[in-house]
Amino acid sequence: MNSMNMLKENIRIAETAKIGKFSKKDIVLFEKVKKAINNKIKVPCTGCGYCQPCPAGVDIPGVFRCYNVCYTDHYFTGMREYLMCTTMRAKPSNASLCKKCGKCEKKCPQSIHIRKELQCVTKYMENPIYKFISFVSKKCFDKCYD
């Protein structure tokens, strides 16, 4: 919602909505869209944060979100977000920092095999392109703050 008009429209629609308003055609379409989105998501992380804090400093929900963006939006969009949200922080929080202690997995309500998935993220995201971009970016930022 970007304006008061949008908010008012949403309220108006919500006030008139009733159970059973969707037609069978609407439900079929909804299920198709849901399936298409879920087929692209690699890690079913909801971002709840119960796995946090990671003793090694990995931003587990953030890492998984960026990884999923690579598949749902575009690889370079996910890579840009991964660089900004993990690598370029004052204290990096990349997937490769994982020490495989397993504390996160004990707390995950989705029963995600976090350690295994973080290895997949590291392999996919922290590739030679990532290493080059992060090196150049850090050098540029270091010069800006010297």
PDB file of all heavy atoms in Angstrom, residues 94-109:
ATOM      1  N   ASN A  94      27.815 -14.166   6.177  1.00  0.00           N
ATOM      2  CA  ASN A  94      27.679 -15.088   5.047  1.00  0.00           C
ATOM      3  C   ASN A  94      27.424 -16.534   5.470  1.00  0.00           C
ATOM      4  O   ASN A  94      27.779 -16.947   6.567  1.00  0.00           O
ATOM      5  CB  ASN A  94      28.963 -15.083   4.216  1.00  0.00           C
ATOM      6  CG  ASN A  94      29.297 -13.713   3.726  1.00  0.00           C
ATOM      7  OD1 ASN A  94      29.632 -12.839   4.508  1.00  0.00           O
ATOM      8  ND2 ASN A  94      29.210 -13.519   2.442  1.00  0.00           N
ATOM      9  N   ALA A  95      26.871 -17.286   4.540  1.00  0.00           N
ATOM     10  CA  ALA A  95      26.600 -18.712   4.753  1.00  0.00           C
ATOM     11  C   ALA A  95      27.881 -19.489   5.037  1.00  0.00           C
ATOM     12  O   ALA A  95      27.886 -20.435   5.824  1.00  0.00           O
ATOM     13  CB  ALA A  95      25.905 -19.296   3.523  1.00  0.00           C
ATOM     14  N   SER A  96      28.987 -19.090   4.415  1.00  0.00           N
ATOM     15  CA  SER A  96      30.250 -19.815   4.567  1.00  0.00           C
ATOM     16  C   SER A  96      30.842 -19.702   5.969  1.00  0.00           C
ATOM     17  O   SER A  96      31.783 -20.425   6.301  1.00  0.00           O
ATOM     18  CB  SER A  96      31.274 -19.327   3.543  1.00  0.00           C
ATOM     19  OG  SER A  96      31.522 -17.943   3.709  1.00  0.00           O
ATOM     20  N   LEU A  97      30.290 -18.854   6.807  1.00  0.00           N
ATOM     21  CA  LEU A  97      30.767 -18.732   8.184  1.00  0.00           C
ATOM     22  C   LEU A  97      30.255 -19.863   9.076  1.00  0.00           C
ATOM     23  O   LEU A  97      30.731 -20.030  10.198  1.00  0.00           O
ATOM     24  CB  LEU A  97      30.333 -17.387   8.778  1.00  0.00           C
ATOM     25  CG  LEU A  97      30.923 -16.144   8.127  1.00  0.00           C
ATOM     26  CD1 LEU A  97      30.262 -14.887   8.689  1.00  0.00           C
ATOM     27  CD2 LEU A  97      32.421 -16.101   8.329  1.00  0.00           C
ATOM     28  N   CYS A  98      29.296 -20.630   8.576  1.00  0.00           N
ATOM     29  CA  CYS A  98      28.686 -21.715   9.357  1.00  0.00           C
ATOM     30  C   CYS A  98      29.747 -22.698   9.843  1.00  0.00           C
ATOM     31  O   CYS A  98      30.581 -23.172   9.071  1.00  0.00           O
ATOM     32  CB  CYS A  98      27.652 -22.447   8.508  1.00  0.00           C
ATOM     33  SG  CYS A  98      26.892 -23.862   9.340  1.00  0.00           S
ATOM     34  N   LYS A  99      29.708 -22.999  11.139  1.00  0.00           N
ATOM     35  CA  LYS A  99      30.632 -23.965  11.764  1.00  0.00           C
ATOM     36  C   LYS A  99      29.982 -25.336  11.942  1.00  0.00           C
ATOM     37  O   LYS A  99      30.551 -26.221  12.563  1.00  0.00           O
ATOM     38  CB  LYS A  99      31.102 -23.442  13.122  1.00  0.00           C
ATOM     39  CG  LYS A  99      31.771 -22.091  13.059  1.00  0.00           C
ATOM     40  CD  LYS A  99      33.081 -22.157  12.320  1.00  0.00           C
ATOM     41  CE  LYS A  99      33.749 -20.795  12.349  1.00  0.00           C
ATOM     42  NZ  LYS A  99      34.513 -20.528  11.165  1.00  0.00           N
ATOM     43  N   LYS A 100      28.761 -25.485  11.429  1.00  0.00           N
ATOM     44  CA  LYS A 100      28.015 -26.747  11.458  1.00  0.00           C
ATOM     45  C   LYS A 100      27.760 -27.269  12.875  1.00  0.00           C
ATOM     46  O   LYS A 100      27.768 -28.466  13.123  1.00  0.00           O
ATOM     47  CB  LYS A 100      28.720 -27.789  10.602  1.00  0.00           C
ATOM     48  CG  LYS A 100      28.808 -27.372   9.145  1.00  0.00           C
ATOM     49  CD  LYS A 100      29.697 -28.296   8.350  1.00  0.00           C
ATOM     50  CE  LYS A 100      29.878 -27.844   6.937  1.00  0.00           C
ATOM     51  NZ  LYS A 100      30.282 -26.477   6.731  1.00  0.00           N
ATOM     52  N   CYS A 101      27.513 -26.350  13.804  1.00  0.00           N
ATOM     53  CA  CYS A 101      27.259 -26.755  15.186  1.00  0.00           C
ATOM     54  C   CYS A 101      25.876 -27.376  15.362  1.00  0.00           C
ATOM     55  O   CYS A 101      25.669 -28.168  16.282  1.00  0.00           O
ATOM     56  CB  CYS A 101      27.439 -25.572  16.131  1.00  0.00           C
ATOM     57  SG  CYS A 101      26.183 -24.277  15.965  1.00  0.00           S
ATOM     58  N   GLY A 102      24.909 -27.001  14.521  1.00  0.00           N
ATOM     59  CA  GLY A 102      23.576 -27.589  14.561  1.00  0.00           C
ATOM     60  C   GLY A 102      22.603 -26.956  15.538  1.00  0.00           C
ATOM     61  O   GLY A 102      21.451 -27.381  15.621  1.00  0.00           O
ATOM     62  N   LYS A 103      23.026 -25.937  16.274  1.00  0.00           N
ATOM     63  CA  LYS A 103      22.122 -25.291  17.243  1.00  0.00           C
ATOM     64  C   LYS A 103      20.877 -24.732  16.558  1.00  0.00           C
ATOM     65  O   LYS A 103      19.783 -24.780  17.107  1.00  0.00           O
ATOM     66  CB  LYS A 103      22.857 -24.189  18.005  1.00  0.00           C
ATOM     67  CG  LYS A 103      23.905 -24.720  18.952  1.00  0.00           C
ATOM     68  CD  LYS A 103      24.602 -23.600  19.697  1.00  0.00           C
ATOM     69  CE  LYS A 103      25.650 -24.191  20.628  1.00  0.00           C
ATOM     70  NZ  LYS A 103      26.386 -23.144  21.350  1.00  0.00           N
ATOM     71  N   CYS A 104      21.055 -24.217  15.363  1.00  0.00           N
ATOM     72  CA  CYS A 104      19.942 -23.621  14.611  1.00  0.00           C
ATOM     73  C   CYS A 104      18.886 -24.663  14.256  1.00  0.00           C
ATOM     74  O   CYS A 104      17.689 -24.393  14.337  1.00  0.00           O
ATOM     75  CB  CYS A 104      20.473 -22.964  13.341  1.00  0.00           C
ATOM     76  SG  CYS A 104      21.505 -24.058  12.324  1.00  0.00           S
ATOM     77  N   GLU A 105      19.327 -25.839  13.863  1.00  0.00           N
ATOM     78  CA  GLU A 105      18.388 -26.875  13.421  1.00  0.00           C
ATOM     79  C   GLU A 105      17.481 -27.349  14.538  1.00  0.00           C
ATOM     80  O   GLU A 105      16.333 -27.699  14.291  1.00  0.00           O
ATOM     81  CB  GLU A 105      19.151 -28.053  12.813  1.00  0.00           C
ATOM     82  CG  GLU A 105      19.794 -27.697  11.490  1.00  0.00           C
ATOM     83  CD  GLU A 105      20.526 -28.852  10.840  1.00  0.00           C
ATOM     84  OE1 GLU A 105      20.493 -29.982  11.377  1.00  0.00           O
ATOM     85  OE2 GLU A 105      21.142 -28.622   9.787  1.00  0.00           O
ATOM     86  N   LYS A 106      17.970 -27.337  15.744  1.00  0.00           N
ATOM     87  CA  LYS A 106      17.159 -27.763  16.888  1.00  0.00           C
ATOM     88  C   LYS A 106      16.001 -26.802  17.143  1.00  0.00           C
ATOM     89  O   LYS A 106      14.992 -27.185  17.717  1.00  0.00           O
ATOM     90  CB  LYS A 106      18.032 -27.865  18.141  1.00  0.00           C
ATOM     91  CG  LYS A 106      19.071 -28.952  18.064  1.00  0.00           C
ATOM     92  CD  LYS A 106      20.005 -28.910  19.251  1.00  0.00           C
ATOM     93  CE  LYS A 106      21.143 -29.887  19.046  1.00  0.00           C
ATOM     94  NZ  LYS A 106      22.260 -29.632  19.942  1.00  0.00           N
ATOM     95  N   LYS A 107      16.152 -25.548  16.697  1.00  0.00           N
ATOM     96  CA  LYS A 107      15.142 -24.516  16.965  1.00  0.00           C
ATOM     97  C   LYS A 107      14.238 -24.227  15.771  1.00  0.00           C
ATOM     98  O   LYS A 107      13.287 -23.471  15.897  1.00  0.00           O
ATOM     99  CB  LYS A 107      15.828 -23.226  17.389  1.00  0.00           C
ATOM    100  CG  LYS A 107      16.658 -23.362  18.658  1.00  0.00           C
ATOM    101  CD  LYS A 107      17.222 -22.026  19.081  1.00  0.00           C
ATOM    102  CE  LYS A 107      18.668 -21.902  18.695  1.00  0.00           C
ATOM    103  NZ  LYS A 107      19.245 -20.604  18.980  1.00  0.00           N
ATOM    104  N   CYS A 108      14.512 -24.820  14.614  1.00  0.00           N
ATOM    105  CA  CYS A 108      13.773 -24.487  13.388  1.00  0.00           C
ATOM    106  C   CYS A 108      12.398 -25.166  13.358  1.00  0.00           C
ATOM    107  O   CYS A 108      12.307 -26.392  13.299  1.00  0.00           O
ATOM    108  CB  CYS A 108      14.577 -24.903  12.158  1.00  0.00           C
ATOM    109  SG  CYS A 108      13.711 -24.577  10.604  1.00  0.00           S
ATOM    110  N   PRO A 109      11.310 -24.390  13.378  1.00  0.00           N
ATOM    111  CA  PRO A 109       9.972 -24.989  13.346  1.00  0.00           C
ATOM    112  C   PRO A 109       9.625 -25.628  11.997  1.00  0.00           C
ATOM    113  O   PRO A 109       8.697 -26.429  11.921  1.00  0.00           O
ATOM    114  CB  PRO A 109       9.032 -23.828  13.657  1.00  0.00           C
ATOM    115  CG  PRO A 109       9.805 -22.590  13.424  1.00  0.00           C
ATOM    116  CD  PRO A 109      11.265 -22.928  13.530  1.00  0.00           C
TER     117      PRO A 109
END
